[in-house]
Amino acid sequence: ELTQEQMNLLQYVMDSHVKNRLPQSLATRLILQEDMGSDDNFVFLTEMATRHVQILVEFTKKLPGFQTLDHEDQIALLKGSAVEAMFLRSAELFNRKLLERHTDVLEERIRKSGISHDYINPMFHFYKSVGELKMVEEEYALLTAVVILTPDRQYLKDKESVEKLQETFLHILEKICKRCHPDNPQHFARLLGRLTELRTFSHHHADMLMSWRVN
Amino acid sequence: PASNLGLEDIIRKALMGNFDD
């Protein structure tokens, strides 16, 4: 069972996770706009990514303990986790159909964006592999917090404090996994395994952007 | 537009400002 403190922490993180959703306006704009050329697509997806980062920062600021960290460490954590958190968030958008019927249009926009398929296929493969875990909203929110509070980010000075904060969320996530997937004791481990896959996106992201710009 | 800023600039702005619209 979750302790009272863990319950409060989870509730607090969930409120902010739900609140910091991509604004519906952006999702509907995705559809209303007629068939965009690939350069409009570029602008649209770049705007979406920028919005993602702003939403990510709002979510992160509300993670209990984050604001007590050194300011430059806060920057290091966000810079180091932004791409991973964005792909995790996109996996949630796709798997929980948060854009309702717009999901397939978004997929089509991405496939026609001019990004090479060497990058796109692994992306949708990742969404599918995350989808198979049938994660509940609490798991997405907590896993995002775990990704952000990763102590081995570049330029991070105070690793111990970040490690302690991350552990808090890992303990809650482990209990949530046991509660929501009682028949699958390996579920928590498989969830953490996805973080390794997520890191590969971070590594390839800069090349992906470069090749996209060239196209 | 914000999209022309680098990732770090967007993060710094968002940390200072408040995009909760």
Side-chain angles (χ1 to χ4, degrees):
Chain A
E1 275 314 302
L2 292 175
T3 64
Q4 188 51 51
E5 190 205 353
Q6 287 176 325
M7 208 94 80
N8 300 343
L9 189 59
L10 176 61
Q11 190 48 53
Y12 189 75
V13 167
M14 286 319 295
D15 293 348
S16 123
H17 181 70
V18 171
K19 188 170 175 298
N20 288 327
R21 191 181 289 306
L22 265 187
Q24 205 48 38
S25 55
L26 202 60
T28 36
R29 224 187 72 202
L30 171 71
I31 300 316
L32 300 186
Q33 219 142 2
E34 285 317 302
D35 197 15
M36 297 193 264
S38 69
D39 44 347
D40 310 353
N41 249 343
F42 180 88
V43 169
F44 179 77
L45 287 171
T46 313
E47 271 172 29
M48 207 155 153
T50 302
R51 195 78 189 91
H52 254 296
V53 174
Q54 290 162 346
I55 291 171
L56 171 73
V57 173
E58 286 313 308
F59 172 75
T60 307
K61 282 200 284 196
K62 297 189 185 90
L63 290 180
F66 180 82
Q67 304 257 37
T68 62
L69 296 171
D70 165 87
H71 187 71
E72 286 312 306
D73 274 357
Q74 293 180 20
I75 303 282
L77 288 179
L78 280 160
K79 263 184 85 177
S81 64
V83 172
E84 293 173 28
M86 182 161 71
F87 278 112
L88 186 55
R89 183 67 169 161
S90 305
E92 181 181 13
L93 287 177
F94 273 98
N95 290 313
R96 296 184 58 238
K97 299 259 184 275
L98 296 179
L99 299 168
E100 287 109 30
R101 63 198 173 293
H102 305 334
T103 314
D104 37 16
V105 178
L106 178 59
E107 173 160 355
E108 195 198 327
R109 287 254 189 287
I110 291 173
R111 289 192 186 282
K112 281 169 35 185
S113 61
I115 298 174
S116 118
H117 284 252
D118 303 350
Y119 295 110
I120 288 184
N121 296 335
M123 206 158 76
F124 284 106
H125 176 266
F126 173 71
Y127 296 160
K128 204 164 131 317
S129 74
V130 166
E132 281 153 13
L133 292 175
K134 301 262 178 293
M135 286 165 65
V136 298
E137 191 164 25
E138 286 77 0
E139 287 173 312
Y140 278 108
L142 289 165
L143 201 58
T144 307
V146 165
V147 163
I148 296 163
L149 297 167
T150 299
D152 64 348
R153 294 297 184 202
Q154 224 181 357
Y155 313 119
L156 188 69
K157 296 183 293 263
D158 181 359
K159 294 183 187 300
E160 293 70 37
S161 309
V162 175
E163 208 153 24
K164 260 207 293 296
L165 282 179
Q166 188 189 48
E167 256 157 43
T168 317
F169 292 102
L170 279 167
H171 291 153
I172 302 174
L173 178 55
E174 185 168 17
K175 289 187 176 180
I176 294 291
C177 287
K178 287 203 175 86
R179 184 199 299 178
C180 302
H181 309 268
D183 51 341
N184 183 349
Q186 293 313 316
H187 181 80
F188 178 57
R190 288 172 69 212
L191 217 56
L192 297 186
R194 291 289 172 272
L195 299 188
T196 323
E197 207 174 338
L198 210 44
R199 285 228 180 181
T200 57
F201 288 113
S202 217
H203 295 314
H204 297 153
H205 196 63
D207 324 354
M208 185 272 276
L209 283 180
M210 189 51 70
S211 81
W212 192 12
R213 282 204 178 88
V214 167
N215 289 356
Chain B
S3 52
N4 292 338
L5 294 177
L7 174 61
E8 181 164 335
D9 302 338
I10 296 170
I11 289 172
R12 285 187 186 279
K13 261 169 62 100
L15 264 180
M16 293 304 168
N18 187 342
F19 286 91
D20 268 353
D21 48 23

